[in-house]
Amino acid sequence: MPCHKIQAGGLPHCIGSLPRLKISCSLMIQDRTISTRPPRVYLETYGCQMNVADSQTITSILRRAGYDSIDRPDDADVILLNTCAIREHAEERVLGRLTALARIKESRPEVKLGLLGCMAQHNRAAIVEKASYLDVVAGPDSYRRLPEMLGEIGQIGFDPAVDVRLDRTETYADISPDFGGGVRAYVTAMRGCDRFCAFCVVPYVRGRERSIPPTDLMREIRDLASRGVKEIVLLGQTVNAYRYDGTDFGGLLKMIARIEGIERIRFTSPHPSDVSESMIEAMATEPKVQPHLHLPLQSGSDRVLAAMERGYNVAQYLDLVARVRAAIPAIALSTDIIVGFHGEAESDFDATVSMMREVGYDSSFMFKYSVREHTRAFKLGDSVSEEEKQRRLTALIAIQEEMSLDRYRALVGQTFPVLVEGPARRGEGRLAGKTPQFKTAIFPGADDVRVGETVNVRVDSATGHSLLGTALL
Ligand code: SAH
Ligand code: SF4
Ligand code: F3S
C-alpha cells in the first residue's frame, strides 16, 4: 500500500504480487538436466485495480503462448513488473524493486526482466536509460505483443524490446483474464480516460476512453459466475462514463444484475460529473448493485477544483451527494483527496476539511500532491512544501480516522448480510467478508458457514476499519 493512504473499508488501490500457480517439471538424462518444462513467468503488480485486472489479462496471454506462472522471482525465467505512475512515490518503489530483481539476472543472465504498465508508458526513455538491464518495456496497450517481444530478445542485440504505442481500439475484449479465484472478481468495463484533470497522468499513460462491448462483458461475467464468483467489481478510470452503442452505465448495471449466480455488483472509480440519473436509478432499484459509492472529491475548495480542472464545484458535488443519499438511504460514501496541490492555500485546505466533515465519508484515500511530467499542472509548479503537504495529510488522516470510528461504532447492534470471503487476516478461526457498504466484517467461523455464502452478522463492536460481530445462524 502507498504509505499516504488509509484504507478504512474502501476498495484496495494497491497490491503486491498476485498468488500464482506453479507448474514445472524437468528430466534427468545422462547426468544433465534437460528442461522440458515451459518457461516460468513471475508477475508483480502495482497500482490500482485496473492493473490487477490487466495482470490477469497478461497472465492469460502468456499462458496461451505456453508460459507457466510462478509465485517466486528466484525460480522464474521471466520477471515482469506491472507498474503505476500515478505519483512519484509509486515510481520510486518500482525502481527500488527493479534494482533488487536485477540481482537475480546477475547470477542468471538468461532471465528476462520486463517493465510493463503505466510507468513504462510514462517514462520509457528515462527508464531504459536508468535500468539498462531491462529486456522488455511494454505499455498498457501492448500486452498482446508480449510473447513476441519476449521472443525477440537476443535477436536484436542488447536493446530492450520496447512497445509503448497507445491504441485507441485495444480493449482485450476477446481475452478471458486469468482469474485467480475467490468470491470477488474485477472486470474491466472501460479503458483509458478523456478527462485530463490537471494533476493526473492517467490519460497520457492509458490513452483514450474505450468501453468494452456489453456482449463481451456479459460473456466474461457469466463465465466468472460459473466458476463460483459472487461479486463483480466493474473497473474504469471513469467507469460511469461507460457507453457502448445504446447501453449507458445504468443500463449495463441492469444487464449484469440479470446474470444468475452474481449476487453483488460494485464499481470503481465513478467520476462525479458522469453520475447520471440512470446510474442512480439502477443503484436504487437493483438490489444486487451494492450501496457503496466511491466519489473522488480531490478538494473542497472551488478555486482548487477549478485549477485541477475537475469539472465540478463544491455546490454541484454536495447536490450530487444529496441526490444519491435521497435515492439510496443506506449508501456508504468514500473518496479520494489530494492535499498540497499547487496554489492550495491554508484556507483551501480548511475548505477541504469542512467538506469532509459535511459529507461524512465512511473512508477516504488521501494523497500528497505529486507533480507529474506531461500533465497540465506540470508547468504550474509545486508551491506547497513537502513539510506542509505532510502536515495537511496527517491532519486529514486524523480527521478521517475519527469520522470512520464514529461511523463504524454507530453500526454496533445492527445486522448486515456479509459475503464470506475467507479466513480473517489475523486468523484465530475467524472469517472475514464485506457488508453491502463494503465494510470489513470479522466474526468467529462455524462449521456450517462456507466461503461464498452470505450470512447475517450482528455487529458487536467496531474499530475505524472493521466491524467485529457474530454470525446469526
Ligand atoms: N479516475 C479516478 C482517479 C484515479 S487515480 C478519478 O477521477 O477520481 C486515483 C487517485 O489518485 C485520484 O483520485 C487522486 O486522488 C490521486 N492522484 C492522481 N494523480 C495524483 C497526483 N499527481 N498526485 C497525488 N495524487 C494523485
Ligand atoms: Fe485522472 Fe481525472 Fe481521469 Fe481520474 S478522471 S483518471 S483523476 S484524469
Ligand atoms: Fe497507476 Fe496506471 Fe492505475 S498510473 S493508478 S496503475 S491506471
Side-chain angles (χ1 to χ4, degrees):
M1 297 283 294
C3 57
H4 309 312
K5 196 177 270 184
I6 74 159
Q7 192 194 334
L11 290 167
H13 277 230
C14 191
I15 56 142
S17 63
L18 297 170
R20 291 287 158 212
L21 192 72
K22 183 174 178 172
I23 314 166
S24 65
C25 67
S26 56
L27 193 67
M28 284 287 290
I29 299 178
Q30 292 177 344
D31 290 342
R32 280 172 53 214
T33 302
I34 296 184
S35 178
T36 58
R37 59 169 176 76
R40 295 186 291 207
V41 59
Y42 169 77
L43 173 59
E44 205 167 278
T45 307
Y46 295 81
C48 66
Q49 295 96 329
M50 304 277 313
N51 258 14
V52 177
D54 277 5
S55 281
Q56 294 177 349
T57 298
I58 292 164
T59 304
S60 178
I61 290 170
L62 290 176
R63 270 187 201 264
R64 277 199 210 174
Y67 288 81
D68 273 342
S69 296
I70 190 171
D71 56 9
R72 276 166 44 86
D74 308 275
D75 306 325
D77 304 299
V78 177
I79 298 175
L80 301 173
L81 298 190
N82 188 10
T83 63
C84 172
I86 201 83
R87 285 167 289 275
E88 197 179 350
H89 177 72
E91 293 197 335
E92 281 164 358
R93 269 183 73 203
V94 168
L95 286 174
R97 184 69 178 135
L98 258 187
T99 314
L101 291 170
R103 278 187 214 118
I104 296 178
K105 238 175 122 73
E106 275 167 23
S107 53
R108 289 194 296 131
E110 71 281 7
V111 171
K112 295 169 184 175
L113 189 55
L115 189 88
L116 316 181
C118 298
M119 209 174 140
Q121 194 73 41
H122 184 221
N123 255 339
R124 59 235 177 224
I127 286 165
V128 170
E129 198 175 305
K130 262 192 218 165
S132 51
Y133 41 77
L134 278 175
D135 300 291
V136 169
V137 177
D141 288 344
S142 309
Y143 299 147
R144 268 179 214 276
R145 281 203 59 232
L146 268 179
E148 190 190 327
M149 291 169 81
L150 287 165
E152 274 172 13
I153 302 163
Q155 295 171 25
I156 51 170
F158 293 105
D159 288 340
V162 179
D163 188 344
V164 288
R165 285 170 292 189
L166 287 173
D167 182 336
R168 281 172 179 270
T169 58
E170 180 60 275
T171 58
Y172 303 108
D174 57 313
I175 295 173
S176 292
D178 189 82
F179 169 61
V183 298
R184 177 183 307 122
Y186 293 133
V187 173
T188 302
M190 66 180 295
R191 299 182 71 83
C193 179
D194 285 352
R195 284 211 164 260
F196 289 91
C197 301
F199 52 80
C200 184
V201 82
V202 169
Y204 304 91
V205 296
R206 290 259 169 188
R208 301 287 57 76
E209 257 174 40
R210 286 148 272 168
S211 294
I212 284 100
T215 42
D216 291 306
L217 291 175
M218 298 294 278
R219 178 182 39 74
E220 184 181 338
I221 296 170
R222 277 199 199 98
D223 180 49
L224 288 165
S226 75
R227 294 155 77 180
V229 169
K230 305 282 187 229
E231 178 172 305
I232 290 295
V233 185
L234 294 173
L235 300 180
Q237 287 297 356
T238 52
V239 69
N240 53 336
Y242 180 91
R243 178 162 290 278
Y244 197 93
D245 290 342
T247 308
D248 68 356
F249 188 62
L252 180 68
L253 290 175
K254 289 188 173 182
M255 281 171 82
I256 296 171
R258 301 281 95 78
I259 297 180
E260 220 172 295
I262 297 302
E263 295 171 10
R264 293 181 167 198
I265 303 166
R266 303 184 188 277
F267 51 88
T268 197
S269 272
H271 189 284
S273 303
D274 289 319
V275 176
S276 64
E277 280 311 313
S278 134
M279 168 183 154
I280 296 178
E281 199 247 335
M283 291 188 77
T285 57
E286 285 294 347
K288 289 185 183 180
V289 182
Q290 298 298 289
H292 171 222
L293 189 61
H294 184 68
L295 207 52
L297 170 67
Q298 313 302 357
S299 168
S301 153
D302 277 343
R303 216 173 59 81
V304 175
L305 284 175
M308 286 176 163
E309 301 182 57
R310 279 293 285 178
Y312 54 83
N313 59 29
V314 166
Q316 287 167 325
Y317 186 99
L318 285 173
D319 175 64
L320 176 58
V321 167
R323 281 191 290 131
V324 167
R325 282 192 164 142
I328 312 142
I331 197 109
L333 294 177
S334 56
T335 199
D336 290 349
I337 307 266
I338 297 176
V339 296
F341 184 66
H342 175 76
E344 185 188 75
E346 188 68 33
S347 54
D348 296 311
F349 176 66
D350 291 346
T352 298
V353 171
S354 310
M355 183 76 167
M356 280 187 74
R357 290 199 189 278
E358 183 167 355
V359 176
Y361 295 104
D362 293 72
S363 64
S364 301
F365 296 94
M366 292 159 278
F367 312 98
K368 287 187 279 187
Y369 175 52
S370 170
V371 179
R372 303 278 67 205
E373 213 176 323
H374 308 310
T375 61
R376 290 184 190 166
F378 180 68
K379 54 188 176 309
L380 297 179
D382 194 10
S383 65
V384 183
S385 71
E386 180 58 27
E387 295 70 39
E388 183 54 22
K389 283 180 188 169
Q390 188 58 53
R391 190 192 67 76
R392 292 179 191 179
L393 181 68
T394 307
L396 218 55
I397 289 175
I399 291 166
Q400 182 59 56
E401 291 277 8
E402 176 199 310
M403 284 198 315
S404 297
L405 187 61
D406 285 352
R407 298 186 75 83
Y408 277 56
R409 279 198 181 146
L411 304 176
V412 171
Q414 296 188 30
T415 299
F416 294 96
V418 172
L419 174 60
V420 183
E421 290 174 27
R425 220 182 280 162
R426 283 196 209 110
E428 295 155 9
R430 295 183 306 170
L431 295 172
K434 294 280 192 251
T435 67
Q437 287 81 1
F438 209 69
K439 292 184 164 61
T440 300
I442 298 171
F443 54 96
D447 286 346
D448 43 358
V449 178
R450 291 198 182 79
V451 169
E453 273 178 14
T454 297
V455 291
N456 283 325
V457 173
R458 188 195 60 227
V459 180
D460 300 323
S461 63
T463 69
H465 301 264
S466 46
L467 305 171
L468 309 173
T470 311
L472 306 179
L473 300 171

Coordinates of all heavy atoms in Angstrom, one line a residue, residues 13 86-87 199-200 237 269 271 296 298 310 336 338 367-370 372, ligand 1:
H13 N -6.5 0.0 -3.4 CA -5.9 0.6 -4.6 C -4.6 -0.1 -5.0 O -4.2 -0.1 -6.1 CB -5.5 2.1 -4.4 CG -6.7 3.0 -4.6 ND1 -6.7 4.1 -5.4 CD2 -7.9 2.9 -4.1 CE1 -7.8 4.7 -5.4 NE2 -8.6 4.0 -4.6
I86 N 1.2 6.9 -11.0 CA 0.3 8.0 -10.5 C 1.0 9.0 -9.7 O 0.7 10.2 -9.7 CB -1.0 7.4 -9.8 CG1 -2.1 8.3 -9.8 CG2 -0.7 6.9 -8.4 CD1 -2.9 8.4 -11.0
R87 N 1.9 8.6 -8.8 CA 2.7 9.5 -8.0 C 4.2 9.1 -8.1 O 4.5 8.0 -8.3 CB 2.2 9.5 -6.5 CG 0.9 10.2 -6.3 CD 0.3 9.8 -5.0 NE -0.1 8.5 -4.9 CZ -1.3 8.1 -5.3 NH1 -2.2 8.9 -5.8 NH2 -1.7 6.8 -5.3
F199 N -3.8 17.4 -12.7 CA -2.7 16.8 -12.0 C -2.4 15.4 -12.4 O -1.4 14.8 -12.0 CB -3.1 16.7 -10.5 CG -4.5 16.1 -10.3 CD1 -4.6 14.7 -10.3 CD2 -5.6 16.8 -10.1 CE1 -5.8 14.1 -10.1 CE2 -6.8 16.3 -9.9 CZ -7.0 14.9 -9.9
C200 N -3.2 14.8 -13.3 CA -3.2 13.4 -13.5 C -2.6 12.8 -14.8 O -2.8 13.3 -15.9 CB -4.7 12.9 -13.4 SG -4.8 11.1 -13.5
Q237 N -11.4 4.1 -15.2 CA -11.0 5.3 -14.5 C -12.1 6.3 -14.4 O -12.1 7.1 -13.5 CB -9.8 5.9 -15.2 CG -8.5 5.2 -15.0 CD -8.1 5.1 -13.6 OE1 -8.7 5.8 -12.7 NE2 -7.0 4.4 -13.3
S269 N -13.6 3.6 -10.6 CA -14.0 4.8 -9.9 C -15.0 5.5 -10.8 O -14.7 5.9 -11.9 CB -12.8 5.7 -9.8 OG -12.1 5.4 -8.7
H271 N -16.7 9.0 -11.9 CA -16.4 10.4 -11.8 C -17.7 11.2 -11.4 O -18.7 10.9 -12.0 CB -15.9 10.9 -13.1 CG -15.3 12.3 -13.0 ND1 -16.1 13.4 -13.0 CD2 -14.0 12.8 -13.0 CE1 -15.4 14.5 -12.9 NE2 -14.1 14.1 -12.9
P296 N -14.7 10.4 -5.8 CA -13.5 11.2 -5.6 C -13.8 12.7 -5.6 O -14.3 13.2 -6.6 CB -12.6 10.8 -6.7 CG -13.0 9.4 -7.1 CD -14.5 9.4 -7.0
Q298 N -11.3 15.1 -4.3 CA -9.9 15.8 -4.6 C -9.7 17.0 -3.8 O -8.7 17.2 -3.2 CB -9.7 16.1 -6.1 CG -10.0 14.9 -7.1 CD -9.2 13.6 -6.8 OE1 -8.4 13.6 -5.9 NE2 -9.6 12.6 -7.6
R310 N -11.3 19.7 -12.6 CA -12.1 18.6 -12.2 C -13.5 18.6 -12.9 O -14.2 17.5 -13.0 CB -12.3 18.4 -10.7 CG -11.1 17.8 -10.1 CD -10.9 16.4 -10.4 NE -11.8 15.5 -9.8 CZ -11.8 14.2 -10.0 NH1 -11.0 13.6 -10.9 NH2 -12.7 13.4 -9.4
D336 N -11.5 10.2 -2.7 CA -10.0 10.4 -2.8 C -9.8 11.9 -2.6 O -10.6 12.7 -3.1 CB -9.5 10.1 -4.2 CG -9.5 8.6 -4.5 OD1 -9.7 7.8 -3.6 OD2 -9.4 8.3 -5.7
I338 N -6.6 15.0 -2.6 CA -5.2 15.4 -2.8 C -4.9 16.6 -1.9 O -5.7 17.6 -2.0 CB -4.9 15.7 -4.3 CG1 -5.1 14.5 -5.1 CG2 -3.5 16.3 -4.4 CD1 -4.9 14.7 -6.6
F367 N -3.9 11.7 -0.4 CA -2.5 11.7 -1.0 C -1.9 13.1 -1.0 O -2.6 14.1 -1.1 CB -2.6 11.3 -2.5 CG -3.5 10.1 -2.7 CD1 -4.8 10.2 -3.1 CD2 -2.9 8.8 -2.6 CE1 -5.6 9.1 -3.3 CE2 -3.7 7.7 -2.8 CZ -5.0 7.8 -3.2
K368 N -0.6 13.1 -0.9 CA 0.1 14.4 -1.1 C 0.3 14.6 -2.6 O 0.6 13.7 -3.3 CB 1.5 14.3 -0.5 CG 1.5 14.3 1.0 CD 3.0 14.4 1.6 CE 3.6 13.0 1.6 NZ 4.9 13.0 2.2
Y369 N 0.1 15.8 -3.0 CA 0.2 16.1 -4.5 C 1.6 15.8 -4.9 O 2.6 16.1 -4.3 CB -0.1 17.6 -4.7 CG 0.1 18.0 -6.2 CD1 -0.4 17.3 -7.2 CD2 0.9 19.1 -6.5 CE1 -0.2 17.6 -8.5 CE2 1.2 19.4 -7.8 CZ 0.6 18.7 -8.8 OH 0.8 19.0 -10.1
S370 N 1.7 15.1 -6.1 CA 2.9 14.8 -6.7 C 2.9 15.3 -8.1 O 2.1 14.9 -8.9 CB 3.1 13.2 -6.6 OG 4.1 12.8 -7.4
R372 N 3.5 15.6 -11.8 CA 3.7 14.6 -12.8 C 4.1 15.2 -14.2 O 3.3 16.1 -14.7 CB 2.5 13.7 -13.0 CG 2.0 13.0 -11.8 CD 2.7 11.7 -11.4 NE 4.1 11.9 -11.1 CZ 5.1 11.0 -11.2 NH1 4.8 9.8 -11.7 NH2 6.3 11.3 -10.8
Ligands
SAH1 N1 -10.2 8.2 -12.1 C1 -10.3 8.5 -10.7 C2 -8.9 8.6 -10.1 C3 -7.8 7.6 -10.4 S1 -6.3 7.9 -9.8 C4 -11.0 9.8 -10.5 O1 -11.1 10.6 -11.3 O2 -11.4 10.0 -9.4 C5 -6.6 7.7 -8.0 C6 -6.4 8.9 -7.2 O3 -5.0 9.2 -7.2 C7 -7.0 10.2 -7.6 O4 -8.4 10.2 -7.3 C8 -6.2 11.2 -6.9 O5 -6.8 11.4 -5.6 C9 -4.9 10.6 -6.8 N2 -3.9 11.2 -7.7 C10 -3.9 11.2 -9.1 N3 -2.9 12.0 -9.5 C11 -2.2 12.4 -8.4 C12 -1.1 13.2 -8.3 N4 -0.4 13.7 -9.3 N5 -0.6 13.4 -7.0 C13 -1.3 12.9 -6.0 N6 -2.4 12.2 -6.1 C14 -2.8 11.9 -7.3

